[in-house]
Amino acid sequence: MAQIDSTPSFVKAAYEQMAARLKVVRQRLNRPLSLAEKIVYGHLDHPDQAEILRGKSYLDLRPDRVAMQDATAQMALLQFMTSGLPEVAVPSTVHCDHLIQAEVGSSPDLARANAENKEVYDFLSSVCDKYGLGFWRPGSGIIHQVVLETYAFPGGLMIGTDSHTPNAGGLGMVAIGVGGADAVDVMAGLSWELKAPKLIGVKLTGALKGWTSPKDVILKLAGILTVKGGTGAIVEYFGPGVDSISCTGMGTICNMGAEIGATTSLFPFNARMAEYLRATARGEIAELAMGFAEHLKADEGCQYDQVVEIDLSTLEPHINGPFTPDLAWPLSRFAAAVREKGYPEELKVGLIGSCTNSSYEDMERAASVAKQALAHGVKAKSTFTITPGSEQIRATIERDGQMAVFTEVGGMVLANACGPCIGQWKRHDIQKGERNSIITSFNRNFAARNDANPETCAFVASPEIVTAFVLAGRLTFNPETDTLPGADGKPFKLAPPSGDSLPRKGYDPGKATYQAPPEDRHRIEVKIDPASQRLQKLDPFKAWEGSDLTDLTILIKAKGKCTTDHISAAGPWLRFRGHLDNISNNLLIGATNAFNGAVNRVKNLLTGGYDEVPKVARAYKAAGIGWVVVGDENYGEGSSREHAAMEPRHLGGRAIIVKSFARIHETNLKKQGMLPLTFADPMDYEKLLEDDRLSILGLAGFAPGVPLTLVARHADGGEDRISLNHTFNQSQIAWFKAGSALNLMGGKAKQS
């Protein structure tokens, strides 16, 4: 029977292995270690041999767990099925949270999702049963909340096929978002490769008070570090202020660390974590962690590459946005900013919940604000939606009354799923193209992210601030200073939110939504209909032809922010996440073409006309012409979706050439046999023209640290030679030559 749960015996064994590895590492490094270093180096495959240099070395690690959400799990499991292995090698789970579209409320939305996605859910269920994975059915909740409640443990190392996997850092776990190919490697029993992260220390002093919440810590930090300030680094929190934050509050902070590009974020083990473990029926693991506590905190005197200090006592509530999560506004300045920038003052919708802010404490504090309004006869003036993070949270807040408060104030409770946070929102109150404002307690607010409307100004804040704004119906309301009119016409002022961080009566588990694999698994068949429009078996990508790449075209030169949402949109496209050819019809349809300023309109050099990006890519592929994408800074920021790397590969792309990459996307491109390359001189981006024909030279001697050369032949006969850098190591170069990491793994499996 495959191991799935983080049982006390499993955690005890993990701690013993970690202690043994750390003993070797300490002898070698002979210096104080940070908490992140202890956990990462404590999972080294060969601690006696590994080169350990922050920001330089590639580490081979042995994660304790793998977690996958239903949208990314499809492609990951389709890849795993080609390995020929009888079961997964490490505890792994699949969580059905991404395919449920929010529209009219929890029950009808869930019923519709079950009907529309039956083929995909049946596929995931059967694969989990056959290969020994735990399966959390639709309605169970959001992957990160369920992992925190059930599987996370202090000192563990987990990878997950979702960029907000770092949520588990709230329980002192190094939890890292990856692409599906990385998950396949680990499930197949291989080590997992990670570039040794740099360390950003965040010292917290003081204590949270008033309207300020844990969410405001990361909103403030995003404003300091920006969306790429954490790239290549683990953010480690420390200092006397840590103990004033609940375990789930720490999870909120770590969750949104993805928005600063961090590899992951984490907190040291403390009493708040032990309380949460006991409250979620894991008291034995709390005791084990207490006995292992010396390894679950930073050594005195450890060194960080950068230190940021935040005084919680003076920290204001923040509202970030629109269109980027690092545009940070303190509450005291936000109303003026709304007026100065011309953001729509009327608040159309306020949304609370999501994987970032759907804990019991979040719901308690938001409900305490709503209760005050009800006491004065006031209800929500904007549309108000509530997304419980898990079935356990839903059942508990229904029992304890918070759900009734939300409903009475005018809120609509959505399914235990991602919903509007990832664009799964069938919105009816506005027309596409209509400028409007919404505010959420989510994590991302890229253009069109939530509702597919690029004119929606989306702001991010804590659930309590969102609730206060909903009661006022406008963005210029400041609950710290302003009053609201009661039903009797008399003004009243909202008191700061309050509430318990853990339920006094304990958690109510709610409905049973977990499916364990059966003991007799060998007879289970996983069937995929060849005519299916949702699922498609994968064919291996072609291996490198052994020569330089010549006569390439530029498919698109992306201008400005180009996230994974721009490269491979979510929302209605989620239905095709298991069908590579169908989902490739969304390739780069959200990116802005620098040559004409248009979205999804690029030149086809074969015809001279303009067409949609995927259609031009398919035309080049049919003609046997390779192509490249040219991009700007932090290309591929956002989610971990590997489809953003698989789609260009599937449609004939050969290289992505940009000023800089987001970490996960760069790795995903390498895994799929693409060449992610960066301009040695970012100004060379300007030299590439629409009608250019490109060659990438130097591949015969492709080696770590050796630049490649791009030759751009212009239509007027001119030519530019441009130096391109890369971060490939020797193992990753082998992926490129084999055509993909999966090809290389499959070839080795056949040989053995």
Side-chain angles (χ1 to χ4, degrees):
M1 190 70 178
Q3 171 79 41
I4 297 174
D5 294 335
S6 295
T7 60
S9 60
F10 176 82
V11 173
K12 184 173 184 290
Y15 283 169
E16 289 171 351
Q17 287 184 314
M18 184 174 161
R21 289 166 173 154
L22 280 176
K23 184 177 181 181
V24 175
V25 170
R26 284 188 179 283
Q27 290 172 344
R28 292 183 57 199
L29 298 183
N30 193 31
R31 62 171 174 80
L33 300 177
S34 73
L35 171 59
E37 288 180 307
K38 289 181 181 182
I39 299 175
V40 172
Y41 303 160
H43 285 81
L44 281 166
D45 196 16
H46 297 289
D48 56 331
Q49 303 170 14
E51 180 186 66
I52 305 173
L53 294 172
R54 284 187 205 164
K56 296 182 179 179
S57 306
Y58 281 88
L59 308 176
D60 288 326
L61 304 173
R62 289 286 177 179
D64 299 303
R65 302 196 61 86
V66 174
M68 296 171 282
Q69 38 94 337
D70 50 354
T72 51
Q74 295 171 61
M75 197 60 70
L77 293 175
L78 284 165
Q79 293 176 82
F80 179 79
M81 288 167 61
T82 68
S83 71
L85 297 171
E87 68 177 22
V88 293
V90 301
S92 304
T93 53
V94 170
H95 304 257
C96 294
D97 61 1
H98 269 55
L99 300 180
I100 303 167
Q101 186 184 52
E103 183 182 13
V104 294
S106 177
S107 295
D109 290 347
L110 183 57
R112 180 163 51 87
N114 276 315
E116 291 179 352
N117 302 309
K118 184 178 187 304
E119 178 186 10
V120 171
Y121 292 149
D122 287 349
F123 166 74
L124 294 173
S125 173
S126 63
V127 174
C128 288
D129 281 352
K130 184 171 182 64
Y131 295 104
L133 294 85
F135 182 63
W136 290 83
R137 294 191 292 270
S140 301
I142 306 172
I143 176 173
H144 312 303
Q145 183 69 30
V146 174
V147 165
L148 194 74
E149 293 172 351
T150 314
Y151 299 119
F153 63 92
L157 173 64
M158 178 180 72
I159 61 170
T161 60
D162 189 278
S163 56
H164 293 105
T165 298
N167 190 80
L171 256 177
M173 192 174 207
V174 168
I176 300 175
V178 299
D182 281 343
V184 173
D185 286 352
V186 175
M187 290 190 294
L190 303 178
S191 60
W192 171 62
E193 184 182 81
L194 176 70
K195 193 170 188 178
K198 291 186 176 182
L199 299 174
I200 298 174
V202 179
K203 184 178 182 180
L204 301 179
T205 59
L208 295 172
K209 61 182 180 181
W211 283 89
T212 307
S213 76
K215 182 67 163 281
D216 298 304
V217 175
I218 186 60
L219 294 176
K220 171 73 172 178
L221 188 64
I224 296 170
L225 294 180
T226 78
V227 290
K228 63 177 185 176
T231 303
I234 291 179
V235 177
E236 182 174 315
Y237 294 85
F238 68 98
V242 166
D243 291 339
S244 74
I245 303 172
S246 68
C247 177
T248 53
M250 296 181 213
T252 291
I253 295 168
C254 293
N255 176 294
M256 202 175 158
E259 274 53 72
I260 58 173
T263 300
T264 193
S265 306
L266 80 162
F267 281 81
F269 176 70
N270 65 3
R272 306 300 294 268
M273 294 184 191
E275 290 171 2
Y276 183 75
L277 285 168
R278 294 188 189 101
T280 50
R282 291 175 288 172
E284 288 183 70
I285 293 176
E287 295 303 313
L288 285 169
M290 291 171 69
F292 198 64
E294 65 177 296
H295 300 297
L296 302 177
K297 62 181 179 181
D299 290 338
E300 190 172 343
C302 74
Q303 297 296 308
Y304 298 98
D305 297 290
Q306 179 182 355
V307 175
V308 177
E309 186 165 341
I310 297 175
D311 180 2
L312 302 180
S313 297
T314 59
L315 179 65
E316 277 192 71
H318 275 62
I319 299 96
N320 287 24
F323 306 127
T324 185
D326 58 355
L327 183 56
W329 304 101
L331 178 60
S332 61
R333 291 176 47 209
F334 185 60
V338 169
R339 296 184 179 107
E340 289 168 11
K341 302 292 183 180
Y343 304 140
E345 183 175 345
E346 179 191 4
L347 179 63
K348 288 288 189 180
V349 189
L351 308 95
I352 65 171
S354 87
C355 65
T356 315
N357 275 115
S358 58
S359 68
Y360 186 84
E361 179 181 41
D362 291 325
M363 297 295 133
E364 260 276 75
R365 285 171 61 87
S368 76
V369 175
K371 280 181 187 176
Q372 296 179 58
L374 289 172
H376 289 272
V378 173
K379 293 194 175 186
K381 291 186 173 57
S382 308
T383 299
F384 187 33
T385 72
I386 301 91
T387 303
S390 68
E391 170 59 14
Q392 179 166 277
I393 292 296
R394 185 210 62 78
T396 305
I397 65 171
E398 182 177 51
R399 181 200 67 194
D400 291 355
Q402 295 93 339
M403 189 181 293
V405 171
F406 292 138
T407 303
E408 186 180 352
V409 86
M412 177 172 66
V413 178
L414 302 176
N416 312 324
C418 300
C421 183
I422 60 163
Q424 283 283 53
W425 183 16
K426 197 169 184 178
R427 190 177 176 190
H428 298 290
D429 64 307
I430 60 158
Q431 298 297 315
K432 189 168 184 178
E434 182 180 340
R435 189 167 166 80
N436 73 105
S437 291
I438 67 172
I439 189 166
T440 81
S441 69
F442 304 162
N443 39 48
R444 292 202 175 118
N445 59 349
F446 304 138
R449 163 82 178 181
N450 303 122
D451 61 1
N453 179 15
E455 292 301 315
T456 293
C457 295
F459 298 89
V460 178
S462 68
E464 4 335 21
I465 291 293
V466 172
T467 304
F469 278 25
V470 161
L471 296 172
R474 55 187 172 87
L475 292 180
T476 51
F477 176 66
N478 182 343
E480 289 190 323
T481 59
D482 299 345
T483 60
L484 291 171
D488 58 3
K490 297 178 180 178
F492 71 97
K493 190 167 180 287
L494 293 169
S498 61
D500 297 326
S501 61
L502 296 169
R504 297 181 185 183
K505 299 177 185 177
Y507 284 104
D508 182 338
K511 301 171 186 174
T513 55
Y514 174 68
Q515 173 184 304
E519 291 188 19
D520 184 14
R521 293 187 277 110
H522 70 281
R523 295 178 183 172
I524 295 171
E525 284 189 58
V526 178
K527 295 180 180 179
I528 300 174
D529 182 354
S532 172
Q533 295 300 300
R534 300 287 301 271
L535 299 165
Q536 179 188 46
K537 287 186 177 179
L538 295 173
D539 293 321
F541 292 131
K542 290 181 180 179
W544 173 54
E545 52 268 65
S547 59
D548 288 334
L549 306 182
T550 59
D551 205 34
L552 307 173
T553 62
I554 297 175
L555 177 66
I556 186 172
K557 182 176 177 180
K559 179 182 178 181
K561 189 182 284 286
C562 193
T563 72
T564 48
D565 282 316
H566 295 88
I567 302 166
S568 176
W573 291 95
L574 286 171
R575 62 184 283 105
F576 298 122
R577 282 284 180 89
H579 197 294
L580 181 56
D581 193 57
N582 280 345
I583 199 168
S584 293
N585 288 322
N586 77 359
L587 176 64
L588 287 158
I589 62 174
T592 300
N593 184 3
F595 296 128
N596 59 11
V599 174
N600 199 25
R601 206 75 184 161
V602 297
K603 189 173 184 179
N604 182 337
L605 296 189
L606 299 174
T607 66
Y610 285 80
D611 210 335
E612 297 170 2
V613 180
K615 290 182 179 178
V616 175
R618 288 187 186 277
Y620 290 156
K621 181 180 180 181
I625 298 173
W627 49 264
V628 307
V629 170
V630 179
D632 215 318
E633 296 281 5
N634 208 29
Y635 183 89
E637 72 172 279
S639 88
S640 68
R641 66 192 70 158
E642 65 180 335
H643 300 77
M646 297 183 79
E647 290 175 34
R649 183 75 165 101
H650 175 65
L651 294 186
R654 305 306 302 269
I656 311 293
I657 304 169
V658 302
K659 295 180 182 178
S660 64
F661 281 104
R663 175 190 65 86
I664 300 176
H665 187 60
E666 182 181 20
T667 300
N668 286 346
L669 288 166
K670 292 178 183 178
K671 286 272 185 174
Q672 302 304 333
M674 293 286 289
L675 285 172
L677 307 169
T678 55
F679 295 105
D681 179 357
M683 293 304 295
D684 286 340
Y685 168 92
E686 304 296 339
K687 295 179 179 178
L688 298 181
L689 307 177
E690 191 170 37
D691 296 323
D692 285 354
R693 291 287 181 151
L694 310 179
S695 296
I696 297 174
L697 309 180
L699 290 173
F702 196 14
V706 179
L708 299 174
T709 299
L710 178 72
V711 177
R713 288 184 288 110
H714 307 307
D716 63 2
E719 181 179 289
D720 277 303
R721 297 179 72 87
I722 295 170
S723 181
L724 300 176
N725 294 332
H726 65 84
T727 60
F728 281 84
N729 60 28
Q730 205 62 55
S731 297
Q732 294 168 343
I733 290 171
W735 300 343
F736 168 74
K737 291 181 176 179
S740 73
L742 189 62
N743 287 359
L744 188 66
M745 184 177 77
K748 290 179 178 179
K750 288 177 182 176
Q751 291 175 8
S752 61

